[in-house]
Amino acid sequence: MRRLFTIDIKDYDDDFKVFRRPSARAIIRREDKLRMIYSPVEEYYKFPGGGIHDDEDRIDALIREVREEAGLVVVPETVREYGSVLRRQNSDRDKNTIFEQENYYYFCDVRDVNIGQDLDSYEEKLRFSLRDVDIDEAIRVNDEYTSDNAFDYHMIKRELRVLRMLKEEFFRI
């Protein structure tokens, strides 16, 4: 899969141990909008998706995460690679640890049914909800996003940069 870009905050020492947490993220279009997860608590949009378990391949993780976060059922034969983003920064949980996350982005279609979300406790706290959003609105919201938490801030700025790339490549008028 092609590397779209790298975000390396370099807020760590080179001798820190590395914790790797790859993720799979879905780019789902519905007519002229994107289907994204919105947090009204933090006021940002993110692509549905999340961490890949040790025993999963990327596509299985994508299908599971879209079902859990968005309540949507991915049509497996429609999954197509878009690209990956590598993110490296000091861990927000473990001292002397680099958090490294390769985020694999895929285009996919979903069935026309919502089976309901199955959110983790932190996702419930952030009140994740599925929204069909105009790409310019998602860009505007994420561009305005601020946070004292560097970990969350860089995650949303990653999503912002992917949104801008998608707009340039696929949403031209």
Side-chain angles (χ1 to χ4, degrees):
M1 182 178 290
R2 74 179 173 135
R3 173 76 51 82
L4 300 172
F5 56 90
T6 298
I7 299 172
D8 192 342
I9 308 308
K10 300 186 187 299
D11 59 348
Y12 52 82
D13 292 338
D14 289 336
D15 63 346
F16 284 6
K17 65 183 175 187
V18 177
F19 172 74
R20 289 179 176 84
R21 179 72 166 144
S23 74
R25 306 198 177 278
I27 303 166
I28 306 167
R29 283 185 79 161
R30 186 178 201 184
E31 297 172 7
D32 62 342
K33 297 188 185 287
L34 287 172
R35 305 198 88 180
M36 298 189 76
I37 301 301
Y38 181 71
S39 169
V41 174
E42 289 290 321
E43 298 181 352
Y44 64 67
Y45 285 97
K46 69 179 277 307
F47 293 95
I52 300 170
H53 297 161
D54 290 338
D55 61 343
E56 282 182 308
D57 71 20
R58 295 177 198 164
I59 305 305
D60 289 341
L62 177 80
I63 291 168
R64 177 184 52 76
E65 283 287 344
V66 169
R67 181 179 34 79
E68 290 173 358
E69 279 193 358
L72 299 174
V73 178
V74 171
V75 179
E77 57 273 14
T78 68
V79 176
R80 306 165 312 283
E81 291 182 358
Y82 177 55
S84 73
V85 176
L86 178 65
R87 176 176 145 209
R88 287 176 58 94
Q89 68 186 104
N90 195 25
S91 173
D92 66 340
R93 294 188 180 160
D94 298 317
K95 280 189 156 201
N96 302 326
T97 302
I98 300 168
F99 177 81
E100 182 176 285
Q101 185 175 54
E102 188 82 32
N103 299 272
Y104 300 98
Y105 288 85
Y106 295 92
F107 292 105
C108 63
D109 295 334
V110 294
R111 300 201 190 289
D112 193 23
V113 62
N114 191 311
I115 61 172
Q117 295 170 294
D118 183 16
L119 300 175
D120 292 333
S121 59
Y122 82 92
E123 295 167 332
E124 286 179 359
K125 188 176 179 180
L126 293 171
R127 298 187 5 231
F128 278 7
S129 63
L130 176 66
R131 296 223 180 141
D132 292 345
V133 62
D134 180 82
I135 194 166
D136 289 322
E137 176 65 6
I139 288 170
R140 183 193 64 75
V141 168
N142 284 8
D143 193 36
E144 293 175 359
Y145 177 76
T146 60
S147 177
D148 293 334
N149 180 323
F151 202 78
D152 291 344
Y153 177 81
H154 293 294
M155 173 186 68
I156 298 308
K157 296 311 174 183
R158 177 198 70 218
E159 301 289 64
L160 173 62
R161 193 162 168 192
V162 172
L163 282 163
R164 286 181 170 146
M165 291 177 76
L166 287 168
K167 181 176 179 182
E168 177 68 23
E169 293 179 50
F170 301 104
F171 285 80
R172 293 184 187 164
I173 296 176

